[in-house]
Amino acid sequence: ENLCSKDAALVSAVRGSAIPALVVATGFLWSLFGSLRSLCANVERGEVFSEGNLLLVRRIGWIFVANSLVGFAAAYWAAHLMGGYLRQHVALTGIKTGPVYFTLPSGTLPYAGLDGFLIGCLVLMLSEAFRQGLALKSENDLTI
C-alpha cells in the first residue's frame, strides 16, 4: 500500500504518474484487441471486403492515433509530476546545474510517441485500400 516508502510525496508522485499510464495502456489494448478479434472473426467467416471490416480497420487506425496522442499527454503528465517531486527533494551538488527536469523516453507507454501515430496513419491508409477493394467487390457482384 505504501510502495515501500515512508515518503508520502514520492508515493503520490508515483501513483499519479503510473495510474494514468496504466489506464491509457489498458484502454488501448482492450479496444485494439477487441477490434482485431472482430476483424479476424469476419475474415474467418469469409467476409474479407465488407463494410464491417472497413469500419474495423478504420477504427484500429484511429485507436493507434488516439493512443499516441493520449499516451503522449499521460507521459507528459508523469514527467511533470516526477519532475516536481525531484525538484523539491533532490539536490545535486558538485556540478553546475539549471532546473531539474524529469522526462520519460518515448517508448515508455505502448506506442505513446511518433511510432504509434505513424502506425495509425499507415492503418488508415490500409483502410482506403479496403474501401477500394469493397468498391471493386460490389461492382463485381453487380456484374455477375
Side-chain angles (χ1 to χ4, degrees), residues 64-135:
F64 272 102
V65 169
N67 179 68
S68 82
L69 297 175
V70 173
F72 178 79
Y76 184 80
W77 175 252
H80 171 72
L81 286 179
M82 292 305 295
Y85 174 80
L86 291 174
R87 277 191 297 279
Q88 291 177 351
H89 296 91
V90 174
L92 296 175
T93 59
I95 57 174
K96 190 174 184 178
T97 63
V100 176
Y101 294 102
F102 178 77
T103 59
L104 298 174
S106 66
T108 301
L109 298 173
Y111 302 106
L114 183 61
D115 49 354
F117 187 79
L118 292 176
I119 289 171
C121 290
L122 288 173
V123 172
L124 288 172
M125 286 192 298
L126 178 66
S127 76
E128 282 304 304
F130 260 84
R131 186 186 60 76
Q132 290 180 3
L134 179 60

Side-chain angles (χ1 to χ4, degrees), residues 49 134-144:
F49 293 108
L134 179 60
L136 288 173
K137 180 184 176 293
S138 299
E139 182 179 314
N140 189 28
D141 289 345
L142 291 174
T143 312
I144 297 178

Side-chain angles (χ1 to χ4, degrees), residues 36-87:
L36 287 172
R37 183 181 50 82
S38 298
L39 182 63
C40 289
N42 290 347
V43 170
E44 187 176 335
R45 285 192 304 267
E47 300 174 24
V48 178
F49 293 108
S50 67
E51 189 69 32
N53 283 355
L54 173 63
L55 294 175
L56 284 169
V57 171
R58 279 187 185 154
R59 181 185 301 159
I60 290 168
W62 284 115
I63 287 169
F64 272 102
V65 169
N67 179 68
S68 82
L69 297 175
V70 173
F72 178 79
Y76 184 80
W77 175 252
H80 171 72
L81 286 179
M82 292 305 295
Y85 174 80
L86 291 174
R87 277 191 297 279

